[in-house]
């Protein structure tokens, strides 16, 4: 079975992430979306909340599994016996960091990275920008799934 890992913070998942996940799900037998447990980064949603939101909106694809992990992505890949990571590239600004990570991951573990060009409709999206816009009352409908939009509004209003 051909499997791929799609790692990230997903705080929360956006339609940009979903574009990459859904396209990867058509190329591979199984996509494992792996949410990084990052103890040093303050997140809006807990890891389990992020996992639940992704699971809900990827259910329709039929071959997407959602998991969480701590530590190096390549160690997770080895544990799960998955030789490939897929990452979305939004713009040149993503490229340098992503290239460095991909080269390091290949050097230390032989894990391959495939880059998928982001759909230009979503190239300007990031989870942090979504949070910023919702916090100040901007409309992000169509940019995140409806259920995520609702959760963002509830969480950011409650925080004020
Ligand atoms: P990280 O903190 O590891 O960058 P993210 O949750 O921001 O995690 O992103 C996870 C993956 O989704 C990465 O491959 C990233 O390039 C990709 N991604 C993020 N935003 C978008 C977007 N708007 N369109 C396509 N891919 C995206």
């Amino acid at each position: 079975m051909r499997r791929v890992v799609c790692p990230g913070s997903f705080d929360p998942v956006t339609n940009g992430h979903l574009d990459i996940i859904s396209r990867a799900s058509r190329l591979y037998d199984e996509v494992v979306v792996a949410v990084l447990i990052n103890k040093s980064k303050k997140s809006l949603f807990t890891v389990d909340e992020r996992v639940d939101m992704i699971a809900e909106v990827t259910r329709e694809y039929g071959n997407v599994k959602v998991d969480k992990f701590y530590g190096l992505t390549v160690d997770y890949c080895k544990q799960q016996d998955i030789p490939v990571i897929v990452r979305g590239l939004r713009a040149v600004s993503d490229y340098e960091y992503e290239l460095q990570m991909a080269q390091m991951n290949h050097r230390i573990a032989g894990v391959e990275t495939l880059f998928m060009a982001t759909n230009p409709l979503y190239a300007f999206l990031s989870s942090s920008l979504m949070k910023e816009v919702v916090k100040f009352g901007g409309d992000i409908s169509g940019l995140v799934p409806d259920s995520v939009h609702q959760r963002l509004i509830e969480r950011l209003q409650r925080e004020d």
Side-chain angles (χ1 to χ4, degrees):
M1 184 156 90
R2 281 151 37 94
R3 301 162 77 214
V4 68
V5 173
C6 188
S9 314
F10 305 101
D11 185 38
V13 65
T14 70
N15 285 351
H17 295 128
L18 285 180
D19 172 55
I20 300 294
I21 296 165
S22 62
R23 286 160 61 199
S25 81
R26 291 195 286 272
L27 297 173
Y28 284 86
D29 299 315
E30 185 176 73
V31 177
V32 179
V33 181
V35 180
L36 174 67
I37 303 169
N38 186 345
K39 291 176 178 156
S40 60
K41 199 165 153 189
K42 193 183 175 316
S43 60
L44 181 63
F45 295 101
T46 67
V47 170
D48 290 331
E49 286 174 324
R50 284 179 262 161
V51 166
D52 288 347
M53 282 189 272
I54 300 166
E56 186 188 328
V57 298
T58 57
R59 200 163 292 136
E60 63 185 281
Y61 305 139
N63 62 343
V64 175
K65 193 178 121 184
V66 191
D67 197 5
K68 55 188 175 184
F69 74 103
Y70 175 74
L72 296 176
T73 306
V74 290
D75 286 341
Y76 179 79
C77 290
K78 293 271 158 206
Q79 247 173 45
Q80 302 292 320
D81 198 24
I82 304 178
V84 190
I85 293 170
V86 66
R87 299 279 294 176
L89 277 186
R90 285 169 286 195
V92 178
S93 49
D94 280 343
Y95 179 75
E96 265 184 59
Y97 172 73
E98 293 293 341
L99 181 67
Q100 191 181 18
M101 287 299 296
Q103 289 170 333
M104 179 60 95
N105 288 338
H106 190 261
R107 174 72 172 76
I108 63 176
V111 170
E112 299 288 357
T113 301
L114 294 185
F115 293 120
M116 202 174 263
T118 297
N119 181 331
L121 283 176
Y122 304 122
F124 60 96
L125 300 192
S126 70
S127 299
S128 40
L129 188 56
M130 297 298 96
K131 289 181 273 196
E132 193 69 14
V133 172
V134 170
K135 188 170 168 188
F136 294 106
D139 182 10
I140 58 157
S141 38
L143 303 180
V144 296
D146 288 344
S147 55
V148 172
H149 194 182
Q150 212 44 52
R151 299 278 292 265
L152 272 170
I153 291 170
E154 280 162 20
R155 182 63 50 96
L156 290 164
Q157 281 175 354
R158 211 184 306 144
E159 283 210 331
D160 281 345

